[in-house]
Amino acid sequence: MKNKEIPNDYGLSVWGANNFAIIDGKVCVNKGSKPAILDIVNEIRTDGYRGPLLLRFPHLVKSQIYKLYNAFNKARKEYKYSGGFQAVFPLKVNQFPGFVDILIDEGEKYGYGLEAGSKAELILAMAYNKDDAPITVNGFKDEEMISLGFIAREMGHDITLTIEGLGELETILDMQRKTQDPMPNVGIRIRLHTAGIGIWGKSGGINAKFGLTSTELMRAVQLLKEAKQLNKLNMIHFHIGSQMEDIAPLKRALREAGNIYAELRKMGASNLKAINLGGGLAVEYSQDVRDKSASYSLQEVANDVVFLLKSICENKGVDEPEIFTESGRFIAASHAVLIAPVLELFTQEYTEKALDLKENGANPPLVSELYDLYRTINEKNAAEYLHDSLDHMESLLTLFDLGYIDLQDRSNTEVLVHLIIRKALDTAAHLSERDRLQQRIQEKYLVNFSLFQSLPDYWGLGQEFPIMPLDRLDKKPARSASLWDITCDSDGEITFKTKRPLFLHDVDLTEQNYFLAFFLVGAYQEVLGMRHNLFSHPTEATITIDEDGYKIAGLKPAASLLDILDDIDYDITDVQMQLKKRIERSELIPVEKRQDVLAELYLYLSENGYLKTTRLV
Ligand SMILES: *Cc1c(COP(=O)(O)O)cnc(C)c1O
């Protein structure tokens, strides 16, 4: 098996970062005993959990944190850079406890901290951040949020409030004057004239939503000086946007920030010691080497950042600053994999079995001709026969509209044309219109998940995620596929794209389950997920792996129907009472059966809303 050619690796070598491997036709986690994801999924399902599953792999959080620190520390050593390196995780990327627990554990030995952008996130940071790790606070702040910052400082946290405007700074200074409490550190977000790029690149640039202009910067220094708190200014910050495709905008921003840093130091900000580059390190989501998301490596970024800052500081004669980063997507994306069962294939009925030709020459002549084309199509005549059959279909559909042929004829037409296209694709490798034809005969796979809940960035931004089946990877997938989720929304579809086609296997779901895995869903998707149609966060589990095997922990079932209704503020006691009343007054349910019906209904209320039907046990 080892050296056998893999028919389709779904771009694993492009996006997989060696985190997964295909062994004996199955996707396996490339760690320790290399368990097949399918085995893990089956074990969880045996306990009765159906519907989509979100699997978390702590070792993938650990390795990303290691990669980040290692790259920057290596660069610092190589360039003999005297400033330090620190990092925080931006909580907005994933605040779920199943992830944050792992993050805090794995980050401890590096002093990896947290970044908060709202009051709720700040509370999380205040509760769980380790003592020696920094907290930074970005985003707009009111008095109460600033007051939380003061409390965090008094609790002993190393906290920096990054101000987004002069008003925030004034509030901080007023509060300090009034309370005489120890001040948190102050960071300043600078407004760069260099803009970010890409679909997320709205965070930089002169019209950006965030940051102080140079005039405001000078005013901020003056305000801090007047309050005798200039020594609290410890960081300048920028963030050029997420999923940076290319390193050039970061370098431009860094030149700007480096010079601002040097100027502020010269103006007397002697404790200003850090430049915070924000986040933006890209994740490779592409399943095709021809359209890779990012054109750089992490080591390249680290080297460029260190080298650039070193040269600016040499030029301006100031100390080299600590390099501070806030990359979130890079840390969180790979740790989570969503697994969803395929429930149904929609065009599978287009097989020869579905043909219902009429006896004794009763078929319309064009249908008979289609049948002949189907029987005799071969490599040589494929293109010609194919075009003939498409012509015939047009004519037959017109005949149907005019009332000359019946539904049975029309059905035979559809089936025959479908079969002809498939045969043409199978026999003639060089058909010029392959892509268009694949599109035409695509199979619709109904998948037990909600795209709105689990892949909101696909819906909102067209962000692609790597998709592959969990098994059968030693067999060539021949079906051009589009995926339907189980919401009632036509947007809940991942369409077949001729440029980046998805091929899946022809499966008989009465014989075997077929699971699709969506990778790199650990960043942003969970909390952005919407409860469209009232589908909730899927059942999740944390999987640890060593040489001996794997362990399943932290199993959290998806919310029950009642919990979902409770969450959007229904009075669930009332919901239950209404249901009970209706059962009790129904004349269709015999009195002696009412209790059973009610019990059955209550059982459903305690389960989640995803579909259960799998034809297999
Ligand atoms: C969102 C955000 C980040 C994280 O960006 P990633 O692209 O996930 O690395 C970092 N810093 C700030 C200020 C942000 O708003």
Side-chain angles (χ1 to χ4, degrees):
M1 213 62 188
K2 284 249 161 56
N3 293 321
K4 213 178 125 189
E5 188 200 353
I6 292 167
N8 186 344
D9 77 345
Y10 292 90
L12 187 59
S13 59
V14 184
W15 58 265
N18 272 328
N19 293 335
F20 302 94
I22 296 173
I23 304 170
D24 293 343
K26 293 185 184 139
V27 197
C28 297
V29 188
N30 194 14
K31 163 150 173 77
S33 61
K34 301 193 199 282
I37 298 181
L38 185 61
D39 293 344
I40 302 172
V41 168
N42 282 334
E43 185 173 335
I44 297 173
R45 286 169 63 87
T46 314
D47 292 333
Y49 298 98
R50 294 296 154 91
L53 280 177
L54 186 84
L55 302 184
R56 300 189 196 279
F57 296 101
H59 71 279
L60 295 180
V61 181
K62 180 179 178 171
S63 63
Q64 291 307 95
I65 300 176
Y66 167 78
K67 281 181 202 163
L68 180 69
Y69 279 85
N70 185 54
F72 277 93
N73 288 334
K74 214 167 133 192
R76 284 172 54 228
K77 211 163 155 196
E78 181 171 341
Y79 294 102
K80 300 193 170 59
Y81 188 81
S82 59
F85 174 75
Q86 287 218 65
V88 288
F89 179 81
L91 279 167
K92 77 160 189 280
V93 179
N94 196 327
Q95 310 91 335
F96 276 64
F99 168 76
V100 173
D101 287 353
I102 301 170
L103 185 87
I104 301 280
D105 268 7
E106 299 296 350
E108 183 170 10
K109 73 170 179 200
Y110 299 96
Y112 190 35
L114 293 171
E115 183 265 353
S118 66
K119 290 178 200 174
E121 289 179 359
L122 180 52
I123 292 292
L124 278 184
M126 288 163 70
Y128 294 114
N129 201 47
K130 296 287 182 189
D131 286 343
D132 295 324
I135 295 177
T136 62
V137 185
N138 298 324
F140 298 110
K141 301 163 210 59
D142 64 0
E143 211 170 313
E144 196 176 297
M145 189 154 166
I146 287 168
S147 170
L148 285 175
F150 274 79
I151 295 172
R153 173 74 195 91
E154 287 182 293
M155 286 162 72
H157 281 300
D158 166 11
I159 183 170
T160 301
L161 300 179
T162 304
I163 58 162
E164 311 277 357
L166 285 175
E168 281 176 10
L169 180 59
E170 281 162 4
T171 315
I172 294 172
L173 293 174
D174 281 350
M175 197 171 291
Q176 201 282 326
R177 259 191 297 269
K178 257 185 250 152
T179 60
Q180 293 294 313
D181 287 339
M183 270 263 288
N185 288 316
V186 172
I188 298 182
R189 183 151 178 173
I190 54 176
R191 183 169 302 204
L192 301 166
H193 70 80
T194 45
I197 47 168
I199 40 182
W200 289 275
K202 286 175 289 215
S203 311
I206 210 79
N207 292 317
K209 184 168 154 196
F210 299 108
L212 276 69
T213 62
S214 18
T215 320
E216 288 167 331
L217 261 177
M218 291 175 51
R219 176 81 190 128
V221 170
Q222 197 187 348
L223 285 171
L224 282 160
K225 249 186 200 160
E226 283 166 14
K228 301 207 165 34
Q229 298 289 355
L230 189 55
N231 64 335
K232 288 291 171 188
L233 176 59
N234 74 334
M235 179 184 291
I236 58 171
H237 172 234
F238 65 87
H239 171 62
I240 59 171
S242 210
Q243 190 66 359
M244 200 166 73
E245 290 166 11
D246 159 19
I247 204 169
L250 177 66
K251 284 162 81 173
R252 282 199 298 272
L254 208 55
R255 272 190 209 103
E256 220 180 315
N259 280 297
I260 289 173
Y261 159 80
E263 291 296 317
L264 291 176
R265 289 283 301 220
K266 285 191 189 162
M267 285 168 76
S270 53
N271 276 342
L272 175 58
K273 62 174 181 28
I275 294 187
N276 181 342
L277 325 175
L281 285 175
V283 163
E284 188 52 71
Y285 293 102
S286 175
Q287 288 185 271
D288 187 335
V289 71
R290 287 167 302 182
D291 45 36
K292 283 183 68 154
S293 319
S295 59
Y296 54 84
S297 69
L298 172 60
Q299 195 59 57
E300 224 179 307
V301 173
N303 291 350
D304 279 358
V305 166
V306 168
F307 178 77
L308 243 170
L309 285 179
K310 193 176 172 78
S311 43
I312 292 171
C313 292
E314 264 172 23
N315 268 342
K316 294 244 167 173
V318 291
D319 290 348
E320 290 160 2
E322 181 169 274
I323 296 163
F324 204 100
T325 75
E326 292 178 336
S327 263
R329 184 186 297 276
F330 175 82
I331 298 292
S334 61
H335 95 282
V337 182
L338 179 83
I339 316 291
V342 173
L343 291 167
E344 209 156 323
L345 271 59
F346 272 97
T347 52
Q348 210 175 32
E349 65 266 30
Y350 289 133
T351 60
E352 220 169 303
K353 266 189 274 171
L355 270 182
D356 186 15
L357 294 169
K358 294 173 178 168
E359 308 272 310
N360 307 322
N363 293 305
L366 281 176
V367 171
S368 304
E369 259 181 63
L370 274 181
Y371 186 62
D372 287 341
L373 289 172
Y374 169 55
R375 277 187 319 145
T376 54
I377 188 168
N378 61 35
E379 191 179 348
K380 278 213 183 93
N381 64 27
E384 185 192 338
Y385 280 24
L386 184 74
H387 295 145
D388 287 352
S389 71
L390 294 176
D391 267 356
H392 289 1
M393 182 169 79
E394 286 305 313
S395 310
L396 283 159
L397 289 176
T398 309
L399 289 173
F400 178 79
D401 292 347
L402 297 172
Y404 291 114
I405 66 170
D406 62 19
L407 198 56
Q408 187 181 348
D409 300 327
R410 181 173 156 161
S411 158
N412 286 328
T413 305
E414 284 168 3
V415 174
L416 281 168
V417 171
H418 195 94
L419 291 173
I420 289 168
I421 295 177
R422 293 199 68 182
K423 210 163 161 190
L425 285 170
D426 287 348
T427 52
H430 304 297
L431 277 181
S432 57
E433 61 257 78
R434 278 193 88 78
D435 292 349
R436 241 176 349 108
L437 292 173
Q438 291 290 9
Q439 168 122 14
R440 200 154 174 155
I441 55 158
Q442 62 183 276
E443 178 63 84
K444 316 280 188 192
Y445 288 72
L446 180 69
V447 187
N448 200 358
F449 83 122
S450 156
L451 200 143
F452 300 87
Q453 172 60 238
S454 293
L455 302 178
D457 276 346
Y458 181 83
W459 174 72
L461 298 163
Q463 173 63 54
E464 307 270 351
F465 294 86
I467 303 172
M468 73 194 287
L470 286 186
D471 65 348
R472 280 168 239 232
L473 296 163
D474 45 4
K475 298 189 182 69
K476 194 174 155 63
R479 293 292 234 157
S480 42
S482 62
L483 310 183
W484 283 352
D485 76 0
I486 55 169
T487 67
C488 308
D489 192 312
S490 56
D491 270 358
E493 181 184 8
I494 298 178
T495 51
F496 179 76
K497 295 166 199 78
T498 47
K499 271 212 178 122
R500 284 190 224 100
L502 174 67
F503 289 99
L504 294 175
H505 299 88
D506 227 339
V507 283
D508 182 351
L509 293 168
T510 57
E511 299 278 320
Q512 226 186 332
N513 284 324
Y514 193 57
F515 295 98
L516 296 183
F518 301 84
F519 290 88
L520 301 172
V521 299
Y524 296 101
Q525 305 317 297
E526 289 185 63
V527 88
L528 286 177
M530 289 159 269
R531 288 174 294 184
H532 195 17
N533 267 157
L534 296 183
F535 288 110
S536 58
H537 188 265
T539 297
E540 66 168 78
T542 300
I543 314 298
T544 49
I545 299 166
D546 60 21
E547 294 302 329
D548 302 326
Y550 63 86
K551 284 203 187 67
I552 300 169
L555 202 81
K556 291 194 192 80
S560 71
L561 298 185
L562 273 185
D563 286 343
I564 296 170
L565 296 180
D566 190 26
D567 237 26
I568 56 168
D569 287 343
Y570 278 94
D571 174 350
I572 51 171
T573 329
D574 186 58
V575 172
Q576 285 165 288
M577 214 174 63
Q578 297 295 341
L579 293 168
K580 189 164 177 243
K581 263 202 265 175
R582 285 183 180 240
I583 285 174
E584 278 166 0
R585 69 164 200 249
S586 164
E587 286 162 15
L588 297 175
I589 312 173
V591 180
E592 67 278 11
K593 274 188 72 186
R594 287 185 185 158
Q595 206 51 41
D596 291 347
V597 175
L598 193 65
E600 187 183 353
L601 189 58
Y602 280 8
L603 179 69
Y604 294 151
L605 289 179
S606 70
E607 295 185 8
N608 73 57
Y610 288 98
L611 302 184
K612 293 237 173 50
T613 328
T614 35
R615 300 162 196 232
L616 303 170
V617 221

